[in-house]
Each structure stands twice: as structure tokens, then as C-alpha cells.
Amino acid sequence: MFKSRKLTFSATLVASVAAGVISSAAYAQDYNIGAPASAQEIAGWDIDIRPDGMGLPVGSGNALDGEETYEVFCASCHGVFGEGEGRWPVLTGGEGTLSDDRPVKTVGSYWPYASTLFDYIRRAMPFTAPLSLDDQQVYDITAYVLYMNDIIEDDFELSHENLAQIKMPNEDGFYIDDRPDVSNPRCMVDCADPETMMLQSSLAGVTPIGHFVEGADAPAASHSDQHDLEASKEAERKASITGVEIVAPVAKETSAMSAAAIAGEATYQAACGVCHTNGLAGAPKVSDANAWSERLKQGTDLLITHALEGYSGSAGYMPAKGGRADLSDEAVTNAVLFMVESQQ
Amino acid sequence: MTTPSTQELLQTMQGASEHLSVNDRREFLRRGMSYVAGAAAVGGTTIASAASLTSNLPPNEPQWGRQLGTGVVENPYGMPSRHEAQVVRRTVPWLTAESISSISMSPLQDLKGIITPNGLVFERYHAGVPDINPDEHRLMIHGLVDNPLIFTMEDLMRFPSVSQIKFIECPANGGMEWRGPQMEALQFTHGMLSCCEWTGVPLKVLLDAAGVQTEGKWVLAEGADGAHMSRSIPIEKVLDDTLVVYAQNGEMLRPEQGYPLRLLNPGWEGNTSIKWLRRIEVGDQPWHHREETSKYTDLMADGRARRFTFVQECNSVITSPCPENPILRKGFIEVEGLAWTGRGTIKGVDVSFDGGVSWRPAKLKGLVLDKALTRFSFTTQWQGEPWLIQSRAYDDTGYVQPTLAQLREQRGVNTIYHKNSIHTWQVAPTGEVKNVQIT
């Protein structure tokens, strides 16, 4: 049995070697794996722009039109003047500070090429809805950010033809890596003078070390704790002014919800939670009953309309469908019901 | 079987805690107190007192030897012991506005050997972790190539695979400490560093299939996540050792590490190893995108900045003792640490106990591999003398890890990135360890 199988195998082997199937190394690496990428497939994904203008879509825009678009989509995080809200990035100012003690690196003071701004806004902003702006909006907003940095005039028509010619103030401020830039001999004895050595200790109270030093003066260990801390300080401050009692948010059992609301949870997690779970961009947190009590008084229908069409109140900017135009009206409606019923 | 009295227990604990630093002593006593309380609550004489501290120790038979444990596939994907719950990634929340574009650090103080377990590899995302269906993931190669190609995951896994152990480090590792010591723990001074065995295909093999044209000098790598993170890589690196990987430490990539596909540029800034990789474009010049202009450029004291500072230069740190691992007992001690270099292989590590006045060679332990973490060790005795301990690594190019003073003199203190200087821990006579800088 065994013997005959072996015989058959070597017979096949001899036959295939004779046919050149196994022995050729070149043939072995002719993988022929993968499919041709069509021009259409490439066009959909090829979003990159280069300083020489390669990749810019045909079109144009200006700061006058960009102002409103910027305020709607960007100002909630980056500030009306690009000054940056809270810890969000600053987009303007800082000229002449690069060699200061505390340099301020912004589009205007640091970025070498305008193409990078167009490219980055299109690929990554607004933070919560990347690739949601059309080319016209990206040209307008790019022009507006350049205008805020005194790089172009407010009526300058920025286009695929002239963007590459814009000279950024710090274009010549960069050079190619020239490390190694230090050389430390491998000294073994008398390498430093103990007489002149000074010791500097770390700052206390800036490192989250609560996990190994009991009772340490340590800051929050997670972003949500940090936000809760900031929120409770803010609530205490407000309460001390108004005398209103602070009510701790309570998590709701999903079993008490309607079928539509339960169905909406998945949409919520996928499309809304990014803002509404953590309170990003001013969004009312679902877990924060106080943030919802006034809103609920408007009635669920209006809340649904605001979620579908977008809404800009005093807290921030709520993009239509949370910036997810691909969602059906029903999915968004159910997500609102999930959010509303989480309050009851 | 006799149960010790509360009085005896307290005495034993006081004795044992004499070797501990103030904080540890406090912690030790706190834990001990709850054991005592537990024993007292059940009267101290019944069988239930088996739960108290000493009853599991010889000559007694421990509790787990007198009962059955859990069965197979109780945890289909196994988890560490619940007693290791402290061994986790941690972040410094005030560094970033949100956890979605942020960083977490590996617990280097708890790791053994040179491999970082998958759940402990440091994280850095710019738009959160996407949930990618591998059946719908594609890698596209286009630009200056003869045959633009598109690969499915199945396609990529048909190529002959290679597995290599390589470290990944964020160039901002240690970046909070340019102006002075700031972080009170190893996890936060050096934890943007991990090392895994990665499995995938050399990018060169894929580019050969597409046929790079002679003008092709750079590639742009881009992620599929919401940040569409992008970086320009010179073709020389790609032809040398860039990999496209789908597995780490024997299993498919973790979502945090780019599932189902990431780039791996061994020895280079972690951010060039684009995660959730979906596109490679070949071009004749770099793109100068946001992550290679606004970020990941090194601002010098004169206001000018270095760009394309790819290599992570030779670096090392002592991981025990360290603030999280104080010295608990006098006598024998193994001083241990990690060394790594993006230029090649670690040649040796020296340690100093007097703040860099004199140095002695340490031993390299276990595997010493190209662009991988390398573990070093120095065994000695400690009798409570104050130490200023340091490690200094050198690599096979002859480069010796510099002092912070040398780096500051060349670069100033505003560069954020690439701080690979000799690190100092101060060991107090109590055994407590603090992060300090010597100037």
C-alpha cells in the first residue's frame, strides 16, 4: 500500500519536473496575485494633494464664502478665529514665535505648503465627519483659514490653478534630517564631575500614578474621568451661583425601551455616540439628564427634525444626520428615540 | 491547623514591612488590615478563615488545592490571571483633548523578555479604532507603476509570508521631558514603545508585482480610518525592509494595531507604520502631508525644523528598579532594562550607579536582534545606599546613546520628538525610586 503510493508520487514528480513546472525559480515568483485596479477605483480613493498641485480637484473658492462654512463645521473646536477652543488645535497666529521659549506652531506660522491644508481638511476634517465636505467647501474653507493667517486676501479666488503658487511664510524653515548630530564617547571612568552635578526632580501632581502610589496627588487616569471631573467642577460652579441641586446621571435599562428605540441603539453607537457619549464638540451627553431636560420639552418630533436636518443652538453644531448622509431617515429617527428614551 | 491571632498577624506584617518604602509599607499594611478584618469576622477559628492571609501558606494546604478549578473553554480566548489586573495600558488624559486622537503607553515596568503581549502594545490613533470587515478591506497600489493592482486580504495571505521581531516606538516617547523631568513613572516616560513578532509580505514583493517605473522614488502610504493618516516613505527604505503585515505575535493584528493590515517600517518613527493600510501610491517626490510637516518635524532652537527624521536612534532605560518597581529588600538585586536602536543591532549597554561618573558593562540577555527590543541585566548587591542609576546603550554603527545635555545643546528644548537621552532614576535609601534629571 505504502510502497505503491510512493511510486505514484515520484512518477508525478518526474513528469512535472520534465514539464518545467517546479524547477524554475523565476516561475515560482511569478505570483500573479491581485486584480488590476481600474481607473474608476483609483479615482475614488486617490485623494492626496502634493505641493506641486498634483491631485487638486478642478474648482475654486474664497474666504468670503468660506467664513460661514468654517463657522458651521469648524469653529466649535478650532474657535471662530482659529484660536482653538479648550485643548483643540489652534489654527492661526504664532508668527515669529518659532524660536521663542513657547513656540506656537500653526498653519500660518509653521506649515510649509498650502497644499497640505487642502489635503488635510479634505482627508480628516471635520474631525467627526471626515471626507464629508465637497470640493467647493474645501476650497472655501482652505481659503478662509489662509485668510485668517494673513496669507491671502478675503476675495482671492483660490483654485486648482493657483494653490501651488501660494508661498507660505515658513516654507524655507525646514531641512532634511542631519542626524546623528551628537557624538558621545563611551567613557567608563571619571566621565562627569560629581561636584558640579545638579539634580532636578519631577513635578508632583501631573502624572496619573494612583495605580501604584496610594493617596498620591494624581490627576485623572482616563479622558472620561477627566471630562467628568471638569463637568462636575463646572456643575458645582453653576450650582453655587443658582443654588440648583446637582443630580447624578443614572444609566437606563434598555429593556424598558420601545422596539424602535432598541433598534436605534446600533445606529447611535455607529454614528452618534462619537459626539453624544463623550460630549464632544458641545454635544449633550446621553448620560447627562440635565443636558436633556430642556431639549425634551421641545417634543420628540422637533428633536428628530433637528437630528435629520442639522441644528445649531448655543451648545454647538449638530451636523445633519450626525454628518452621515448615508443613513436612512428611519435609522436616524430610531437613534433619536434611543437617546430620548434613555432619559426616561 | 491553628489560626494565628490578630495580634500575631499584625506583628508578622510589621516585621515584613520593614523592608518596604513608605508608600509600599502603607499599601502593605492596608492590604494586611483587610485580611485581618476578614479573619476576625468569621471568628478566627472556623474553616472559613482559610481565606485569611497565612492559611494558604505551608504547612497548610492552600485553598486551591482543596477544590476544583474552572474547566476548558471557560475563557475561549484566555485572559491573564485576575491578580494581574494592574498590568494595563495607561494614558495621560491632559495631553490630548479626546481619547479618540490620543496615545496610551505600554506597562514596560511589568513586561518580561522582549515581546509585548498584543493587548499591551501602546496605542496611537488620530481618529479612533475603525471596525473593519476584512472581506471588504482592499490594498490598492497605483501611481508610477506599470500595473495598478488591488489586493484582497486573501490575496495578500497567498504570498509567501515572513515573520520578524521588530520594535515600534512613537517619536514622542519621552517628549514631555525635554525641559525637565515631569512624569513620575516609567510607563509614562518610556511606554510609547512595544515589540512584537510581525507576519506579512515585504512591500517590495507587492511593488515588484505592480512594476515600479524608474521615476518612482517615494511612496505614499495611507490608512482606511477616519484620519486617512498618510506618510511619504523613500523607495530605498521600501526596497530595504518595509513590510505589509497582517499578524502580530501569532494572531491576526489587533484592531488597535491596524486590523486587518498595516505597514511596518522597522526602526522608524511609529507613525510611518501606517495602520489600517489601504493605499500605496508611487511618486517621484514626497507629499509633505500634515503628519510630516505640522507634526513629526523637529523644531530646533533657531526656529528651523528638521523634516523626515525617520530613524529612532539608539536608546535604553532601566525597567527594574523604576518608580513602579521600588527595591523591596536589601541584598541581591538584578538591575534590568531594555535597549533598542532603529539603525540596527544593540552592541552593548553600560550601567552607572553614580549618575554617570563611572560606568560598568551590563550583560545582554536572550535574543539580540536587528531593530528589536534587547534586554540587559546587571546583578549586584544593594545595602540601602542612595543610587543615581542610568543605562547607556550603543549600537553596531558605533553610535552611543547621548546625554540630555548633549541633545539640548544641539537641538534646544522645543523639538518634542526623538528624545533618546540617557535616563536617570534616583534610588532612595528606603528603596523608593524617582524620576530625576542630572544637569
Side-chain angles (χ1 to χ4, degrees):
Chain A
M1 191 53 190
F2 177 70
K3 203 176 172 189
S4 73
R5 219 199 298 158
K6 196 173 172 191
L7 274 176
T8 332
F9 172 69
S10 15
T12 333
L13 187 68
V14 171
S16 42
V17 170
V21 175
I22 289 177
S23 59
S24 159
Y27 194 86
Q29 273 160 44
D30 191 358
Y31 303 115
N32 198 16
I33 299 175
S38 72
Q40 202 190 357
E41 284 171 325
I42 295 172
W45 278 13
D46 185 5
I47 54 172
D48 53 87
I49 320 281
R50 256 181 5 190
D52 62 359
M54 188 189 84
L56 279 170
V58 173
S60 71
N62 61 62
L64 289 170
D65 295 335
E67 178 171 6
E68 196 191 325
T69 331
Y70 174 88
E71 275 168 16
V72 170
F73 291 104
C74 324
S76 60
C77 294
H78 295 292
V80 177
F81 305 104
E83 76 283 13
E85 294 283 343
R87 264 168 294 161
W88 302 106
V90 177
L91 303 184
T92 54
E95 290 83 359
T97 67
L98 294 182
S99 56
D100 288 2
D101 264 1
R102 301 280 165 179
V104 181
K105 295 189 278 180
T106 72
V107 173
S109 70
Y110 195 60
W111 292 34
Y113 305 108
S115 61
T116 311
L117 185 60
F118 189 105
D119 176 89
Y120 185 69
I121 294 175
R122 183 162 76 163
R123 76 172 52 240
M125 291 291 138
F127 188 52
T128 48
L131 283 175
S132 63
L133 302 177
D134 62 29
D135 293 340
Q136 171 75 57
Q137 289 171 313
V138 180
Y139 272 113
D140 286 343
I141 296 177
T142 303
Y144 187 64
V145 175
L146 292 174
Y147 161 72
M148 284 195 293
N149 278 292
D150 297 325
I151 291 164
I152 56 174
E153 298 294 321
D154 61 357
D155 57 355
F156 181 84
E157 192 67 15
L158 185 70
S159 76
H160 61 281
E161 284 170 330
N162 60 24
L163 194 143
Q165 275 96 60
I166 290 184
K167 172 99 176 154
M168 299 291 275
N170 194 40
E171 178 176 336
D172 301 327
F174 294 83
Y175 58 99
I176 285 284
D177 187 11
D178 55 355
R179 294 172 306 156
D181 52 349
V182 290
S183 161
N184 190 19
R186 195 179 155 228
C187 166
M188 299 306 280
V189 286
D190 294 333
C191 308
D193 180 3
E195 299 297 309
T196 61
M197 266 173 15
M198 302 273 285
L199 209 61
Q200 207 183 343
S201 299
S202 7
L203 302 171
V206 295
T207 318
I209 51 171
H211 59 286
F212 73 98
V213 187
E214 203 202 346
D217 172 20
S222 71
H223 286 86
S224 56
D225 286 355
Q226 174 90 13
H227 293 316
D228 289 352
L229 198 79
E230 283 164 15
S232 73
K233 277 196 190 137
E234 179 61 11
E236 269 170 36
R237 193 185 61 80
K238 280 193 184 145
S240 71
I241 301 167
T242 60
V244 177
E245 203 187 328
I246 312 160
V247 189
V250 199
K252 281 286 170 311
E253 287 274 339
T254 39
S255 56
M257 290 185 176
S258 68
I262 291 170
E265 183 172 2
T267 308
Y268 171 82
Q269 298 297 356
C272 326
V274 59
C275 292
H276 285 282
T277 300
N278 300 317
L280 212 70
K285 281 201 213 179
V286 165
S287 61
D288 180 358
N290 289 329
W292 284 93
S293 53
E294 283 304 310
R295 295 181 194 272
L296 291 174
K297 289 181 191 153
Q298 305 176 70
T300 307
D301 285 351
L302 190 59
L303 290 177
I304 292 171
T305 309
H306 285 165
L308 289 172
E309 292 171 4
Y311 172 70
S312 190
S314 58
Y317 162 67
M318 157 76 206
K321 295 186 173 178
R324 289 281 303 270
D326 57 308
L327 293 175
S328 70
D329 288 2
E330 190 192 350
V332 176
T333 303
N334 289 344
V336 176
L337 293 176
F338 170 77
M339 295 163 79
V340 168
E341 292 181 26
S342 295
Q343 309 305 319
Q344 286 146 13
Chain B
M1 213 195 278
T2 57
T3 313
S5 73
T6 307
Q7 195 55 38
E8 279 166 346
L9 258 177
L10 277 174
Q11 269 165 14
T12 326
M13 288 190 327
Q14 292 283 10
S17 78
E18 245 146 49
H19 298 281
L20 304 174
S21 67
V22 181
N23 281 319
D24 290 287
R25 191 174 302 136
R26 210 189 292 139
E27 166 68 359
F28 188 88
L29 287 175
R30 192 179 60 78
R31 277 199 222 158
M33 287 311 288
S34 59
Y35 294 129
V36 175
V42 293
T45 50
T46 63
I47 282 229
S49 70
S52 76
L53 177 63
T54 48
S55 63
N56 284 324
L57 299 179
N60 299 339
E61 177 60 28
Q63 192 190 5
W64 42 87
R66 286 184 270 123
Q67 65 188 45
L68 298 179
T70 50
V72 295
V73 294
E74 178 73 20
N75 275 313
Y77 193 102
M79 295 294 286
S81 159
R82 64 189 173 91
H83 303 287
E84 299 299 319
Q86 293 280 57
V87 183
V88 291
R89 298 183 281 226
R90 293 189 172 84
T91 185
V92 178
W94 53 260
L95 278 179
T96 53
E98 285 296 334
S99 62
I100 291 163
S101 176
S102 190
I103 186 139
S104 74
M105 294 82 165
S106 291
L108 299 184
Q109 69 278 10
D110 297 312
L111 299 184
K112 315 295 175 203
I114 59 169
I115 297 289
T116 312
N118 288 341
L120 298 176
V121 174
F122 81 93
E123 307 159 278
R124 174 65 172 120
Y125 331 125
H126 291 262
V129 183
D131 176 17
I132 296 179
N133 176 351
D135 297 340
E136 293 175 342
H137 188 73
R138 296 291 181 272
L139 175 66
M140 182 185 281
I141 298 188
H142 70 110
L144 299 177
V145 295
D146 293 334
N147 318 299
L149 289 173
I150 192 159
F151 297 101
T152 63
M153 286 305 298
E154 194 200 327
D155 289 338
L156 293 168
M157 292 169 80
R158 275 181 64 205
F159 284 98
S161 66
V162 297
S163 292
Q164 296 178 358
I165 297 177
K166 301 290 178 192
F167 76 82
I168 295 195
E169 184 184 21
C170 175
N173 204 13
M176 288 95 96
E177 311 239 307
W178 275 103
R179 290 164 192 277
Q182 178 156 228
M183 292 287 128
E184 297 178 89
L186 168 66
Q187 186 160 10
F188 305 112
T189 59
H190 288 82
M192 302 177 192
L193 170 71
S194 298
C195 183
C196 297
E197 183 198 42
W198 307 94
T199 300
V201 195
L203 178 53
K204 179 184 180 313
V205 170
L206 304 182
L207 287 180
D208 281 350
V212 174
Q213 298 167 3
T214 44
E215 318 86 83
K217 294 288 176 249
W218 288 78
V219 306
L220 181 79
E222 180 184 270
D225 60 317
H228 304 97
M229 174 87 182
S230 55
R231 287 243 28 194
S232 311
I233 320 282
I235 199 88
E236 294 79 21
K237 176 69 174 175
V238 173
L239 298 180
D240 179 19
D241 64 359
T242 305
L243 300 178
V244 170
V245 301
Y246 42 77
Q248 65 180 123
N249 295 336
E251 61 181 359
M252 291 301 281
L253 293 174
R254 289 293 170 90
E256 310 96 282
Q257 296 308 319
Y259 181 87
L261 196 66
R262 80 177 297 174
L263 204 64
L264 183 78
N265 279 307
W268 280 20
E269 302 191 324
N271 61 77
T272 65
S273 290
I274 297 289
K275 300 197 268 195
W276 312 293
L277 182 71
R278 75 158 185 187
R279 193 163 71 92
I280 298 282
E281 180 171 348
V282 180
D284 58 355
Q285 49 178 283
W287 276 258
H288 296 286
H289 277 177
R290 188 250 185 174
E291 313 295 347
E292 48 204 20
T293 54
S294 169
K295 305 290 164 197
Y296 308 118
T297 47
D298 307 0
L299 183 60
M300 300 291 126
D302 66 358
R304 301 201 316 139
R306 288 187 184 136
R307 61 162 57 121
F308 299 125
T309 44
F310 293 123
V311 172
Q312 293 296 109
E313 295 189 294
C314 186
N315 201 347
S316 72
V317 69
I318 291 171
T319 58
S320 184
C322 71
E324 295 98 318
N325 296 324
I327 309 183
L328 299 181
R329 268 165 233 295
K330 290 180 180 165
F332 174 81
I333 180 170
E334 179 178 26
V335 173
E336 268 199 81
L338 293 167
W340 63 101
T341 172
R343 288 216 179 82
T345 307
I346 290 293
K347 211 51 198 180
V349 178
D350 304 315
V351 291
S352 172
F353 296 87
D354 54 14
V357 178
S358 61
W359 293 88
R360 301 169 65 183
K363 256 210 256 25
L364 301 186
K365 298 217 286 193
L367 296 172
V368 179
L369 301 172
D370 176 72
K371 296 163 195 153
L373 291 187
T374 303
R375 196 162 273 271
F376 64 86
S377 150
F378 187 95
T379 52
T380 184
Q381 297 276 331
W382 181 73
Q383 299 302 341
E385 57 273 35
W387 273 350
L388 288 171
I389 47 170
Q390 303 180 324
S391 63
R392 180 185 67 187
Y394 53 101
D395 64 22
D396 58 353
T397 68
Y399 177 94
V400 180
Q401 188 184 350
T403 64
L404 181 56
Q406 288 172 322
L407 287 186
R408 280 191 186 144
E409 192 188 320
Q410 277 300 316
R411 309 180 188 173
V413 293
N414 286 333
T415 60
I416 301 173
Y417 308 110
H418 297 293
K419 183 183 157 297
N420 64 321
S421 53
I422 293 169
H423 196 81
T424 313
W425 300 126
Q426 179 182 32
V427 180
T430 56
E432 269 176 294
V433 181
K434 288 216 152 76
N435 176 22
V436 297
Q437 284 180 7
I438 294 174
T439 50

